[in-house]
Amino acid sequence: MSDHPNLYAGPPTRTDAEIFETLLTRPGIRVERIVSTGQASPPGFWYDQDGDEWVAVLKGSAELRFADEPAPRRLAEGDHLLIPAQCRHRVERTANPTIWLAVHLAPR
Amino acid sequence: MSDHPNLYAGPPTRTDAEIFETLLTRPGIRVERIVSTGQASPPGFWYDQDGDEWVAVLKGSAELRFADEPAPRRLAEGDHLLIPAQCRHRVERTANPTIWLAVHLAPR
């Protein structure tokens, strides 16, 4: 089937760090599973990526903050959005656990 | 957020046909959400695709049959697998509802 049998299998308890697992890699694309267990981005840290990223919350919930927006966006289970390249953002909050699916795209 | 607000929003009752919704398109990749409500591939029909497809069952369950395997594979919630190009396959069964996420990749 796969070396990664189930998207929803996760750590039974809180881990210190988020878990990143690459599910698929092809030229220009990488599909990644992320398990958050309550983490947030460090204070003052902003992601600033060269390529677009499509991200979905499969389980749990999170708050995603964009630098050019006054308030974080709340992402519930099943919510998804495209984070355009060079759009600075950070994770303000995650539920324990939160399972993300991210599709990282090469710069256009 | 998105024109497609939630992966898990679906038809409240069975629909006659599966629902296909493209969530993201980029050169070489298309991310698609599929909602099945009990459908199976027509008798004798086999998918035979030019590119690889990564597929995940986000909700529900399904049975996926490969032409070169004697029995269908049962996919539970969270299961995912890569369907290689030119690997003939068909959907033998879906729960109502089953929500799939498919990543279609261009031929290599």
Side-chain angles (χ1 to χ4, degrees), chain A residues 4 7-8 26 52 78 80, chain B residues 4 7-8 26 52 58 78 80:
Chain A
H4 316 284
L7 290 171
Y8 301 136
R26 287 289 187 280
D52 291 350
H80 58 97
Chain B
H4 315 284
L7 290 172
Y8 301 137
R26 288 288 187 283
D52 290 351
L58 302 184
H80 58 96

Side-chain angles (χ1 to χ4, degrees), chain A residues 1-2 4-8 23-24 26 29 52 54 56 58-59 73-75 77-82 101 103 105 108, chain B residues 1-2 4-8 23-24 26 29 52 54 56 58-59 73-75 77-82 101 103 105 108:
Chain A
M1 178 85 61
S2 164
H4 316 284
N6 195 286
L7 290 171
Y8 301 136
L23 303 179
L24 180 72
R26 287 289 187 280
I29 174 185
D52 291 350
W54 180 85
L58 301 185
K59 297 275 186 187
R73 300 188 188 197
R74 179 173 164 76
L75 301 178
E77 204 165 274
D79 285 340
H80 58 97
L81 80 171
L82 184 73
L101 193 73
V103 178
L105 300 159
R108 288 197 267 187
Chain B
M1 181 83 61
S2 164
H4 315 284
N6 195 288
L7 290 172
Y8 301 137
L23 303 179
L24 180 70
R26 288 288 187 283
I29 175 184
D52 290 351
W54 180 84
L58 302 184
K59 296 274 187 188
R73 299 189 190 197
R74 178 173 164 77
L75 301 177
E77 205 164 274
D79 285 339
H80 58 96
L81 79 171
L82 184 72
L101 194 71
V103 178
L105 300 159
R108 288 197 264 188

